[in-house]
Amino acid sequence: MRRTVAVVAMAIAVAVFIGGCGVQADRNPKTVAPANVPYGLLEGAPSTTGPGRPPVRTVPTTPVFVYFVRAGRVQATVRHVTAPVTVQKTLAELLIGPAEAEAAEGVRTAINPAAGVQAKRLDAATFLIDLSPEFAQGPTSEQVLGLAQIVFTATEVPGVTGVRFTLDGAPVEVPTPSGTLTSDPLTRDAFADLGPLPPDVLAPA
C-alpha cells in the first residue's frame, strides 16, 4: 500500500514539474528547423554493408542462348545461368518460356508448359534428353518445333553437337521436319528448315 502511494505521488510530482516548465502538447503538427532537431534523429538507417558486416555476395552467371519460336522458326534469346553452363541448366531456362515483353513481339514456345526434360551425357558430343509424357501431347507440327527448340538450345553448350531422345525413360522415334520418324541422334542439320531467320526478316516493318 505504501509503495502504491509513493508511485502515485511521484507521478503527480513529475506532472507538476512538467506543467511548471510550460511544456504543452501541440494539437497541430509544426515544421521544425533541422538545427532544432535533437541529435541523431535526422541520421539515416544503418547500412547493411557497414563496418563489421560481411559484404553481400552475388552468384556469378553466364549468358546463354535458348531458342523460342517466332514466325514459324526458332529464334535465339539470351538468358543467364549460374556457372558452369550445362545442358540441363540451359534447358531449364528454355522451359520457363518467353518473357511477357518477348511474347508481345510474337515470340512463343511450342513446348507444352507442363512438359519436363532431363539431360544426360552419352558421350563427349551427344546428350540424351528424356521428355516427359506431356511433350507428346498436341499436334505433330508443334512437337517438331519443340524438338527443334531443344536441339538448338542443347547444342549451344560448347562441345555438344547431337541429341538423342527418350520419352518417359523409354526409347522413342521422334518426328522430323521431313515427316520421317527417327531414334537416331539429331543435330541442327535435321532442323535446318526451322533454323533462325535472318535479322532483317525478323525486324518490324
Side-chain angles (χ1 to χ4, degrees):
M1 183 65 178
R2 292 182 178 176
R3 179 175 299 178
T4 302
V5 173
V7 171
V8 172
M10 181 177 294
I12 294 173
V14 171
V16 171
F17 175 76
I18 294 176
C21 292
V23 178
Q24 297 180 353
D26 290 327
R27 295 183 179 274
N28 300 313
K30 293 183 178 181
T31 302
V32 179
N36 297 328
V37 177
Y39 174 78
L41 293 185
L42 291 180
E43 294 179 356
S47 172
T48 56
T49 57
R53 295 179 182 270
V56 177
R57 299 185 182 277
T58 58
V59 178
T61 60
T62 302
V64 295
F65 282 121
V66 301
Y67 286 78
F68 297 120
V69 177
R70 184 179 182 189
R73 310 280 288 263
V74 297
Q75 174 184 315
T77 303
V78 177
R79 292 292 187 267
H80 290 81
V81 299
T82 56
V85 175
T86 66
V87 171
Q88 185 64 43
K89 291 177 184 178
T90 307
L91 291 178
E93 288 294 320
L94 173 66
L95 293 183
I96 293 175
E100 184 176 343
E102 294 166 342
E105 296 178 353
V107 178
R108 68 180 186 90
T109 181
I111 300 173
N112 187 324
V117 300
Q118 293 293 326
K120 178 183 178 182
R121 183 183 292 276
L122 293 178
D123 55 49
T126 310
F127 263 78
L128 176 68
I129 306 297
D130 185 47
L131 307 171
S132 70
E134 292 81 3
F135 187 91
Q137 300 173 359
T140 300
S141 58
E142 286 294 281
Q143 294 181 38
V144 172
L145 278 171
L147 292 169
Q149 288 181 249
I150 292 174
V151 170
F152 272 84
T153 299
T155 53
E156 276 292 339
V157 177
V160 181
T161 59
V163 176
R164 184 189 294 273
F165 291 97
T166 57
L167 182 65
D168 200 22
V172 65
E173 292 184 324
V174 296
T176 64
S178 64
T180 62
L181 297 174
T182 183
S183 59
D184 296 331
L186 295 171
T187 66
R188 290 189 175 194
D189 291 340
F191 299 95
D193 292 341
L194 300 177
L197 288 170
D200 58 333
V201 176
L202 290 173

